Amino acid sequence: MSNLDKMKSKININKVYTRKGDNGKTQLTGGQVVDKDDIRIEAYGTIDELQVIMGSCVNSLNELELNDNDRNELRNILKRIQNELFNVGSSLSRLNEDVNIKTPKVLTENINQLEKEIDQYNKFLPSLNSFVLPGGNNS
């Protein structure tokens, strides 16, 4: 069983609302109340949005003309990155004093692995000589 499968089996969310109203406030994992426009909330909200985009990329892999090995390799990389982003969001959702040994973390080895994969895939791309707009530079 993968770490992700183990996490899924421990998570049980029955409701995603409290019926208390929020007055522009939200609660961190440690119970501290902060403004919803706090930079920490913005950061993990942005990470959540990135995870959604990555999930869409995972779902789109079947549309690419790839052999099964390459498709599975990319799927595994993207899912691993999603999990690591979840760990970053988890860290951001608590203050430093609430971080403990069990708090999931992104480690230097995770960053090194990502950089290695970026280098591996970048070697197949032409050199960039300008910025690229999201969606490509199709005229």
Side-chain angles (χ1 to χ4, degrees), residues 18-32:
T18 63
R19 299 194 64 136
K20 296 178 184 176
D22 62 28
N23 297 316
K25 305 282 187 183
T26 192
Q27 197 172 52
L28 298 176
T29 302
Q32 301 87 352

Side-chain angles (χ1 to χ4, degrees), residues 75-138:
R75 181 175 287 114
N76 290 337
I77 289 170
L78 291 173
K79 286 185 173 187
R80 190 198 76 243
I81 295 169
Q82 275 187 294
N83 193 56
E84 290 168 3
L85 286 170
F86 189 85
N87 291 344
V88 171
S90 176
S91 293
L92 287 170
S93 73
R94 62 190 82 227
L95 297 179
N96 289 344
E97 61 262 24
D98 294 324
V99 173
N100 61 50
I101 196 73
K102 293 182 181 180
T103 302
K105 296 171 185 65
V106 173
L107 306 172
T108 301
E109 64 196 51
N110 304 117
I111 295 166
N112 292 340
Q113 177 67 29
L114 179 59
E115 289 175 347
K116 179 181 167 188
E117 291 160 347
I118 290 169
D119 291 343
Q120 174 188 336
Y121 285 99
N122 271 347
K123 68 183 176 187
F124 299 109
L125 298 175
S127 296
L128 291 177
N129 54 17
S130 66
F131 289 103
V132 178
L133 296 174
N137 274 353
N138 297 335

Side-chain angles (χ1 to χ4, degrees), residues 30-42:
Q32 301 87 352
V33 176
V34 298
D35 291 333
K36 283 193 170 180
D37 65 356
D38 185 283
I39 190 70
R40 175 185 303 271
I41 307 306
E42 175 66 28

Side-chain angles (χ1 to χ4, degrees), residues 48-97:
D48 285 348
E49 291 172 6
L50 178 56
Q51 288 178 319
V52 169
I53 292 166
M54 292 190 71
S56 180
C57 291
V58 169
N59 288 334
S60 297
L61 285 174
N62 289 334
E63 299 170 22
L64 299 177
E65 294 179 18
L66 297 172
N67 65 50
D68 287 342
N69 288 338
D70 289 344
R71 183 176 291 111
N72 288 333
E73 179 182 349
L74 279 172
R75 181 175 287 114
N76 290 337
I77 289 170
L78 291 173
K79 286 185 173 187
R80 190 198 76 243
I81 295 169
Q82 275 187 294
N83 193 56
E84 290 168 3
L85 286 170
F86 189 85
N87 291 344
V88 171
S90 176
S91 293
L92 287 170
S93 73
R94 62 190 82 227
L95 297 179
N96 289 344
E97 61 262 24

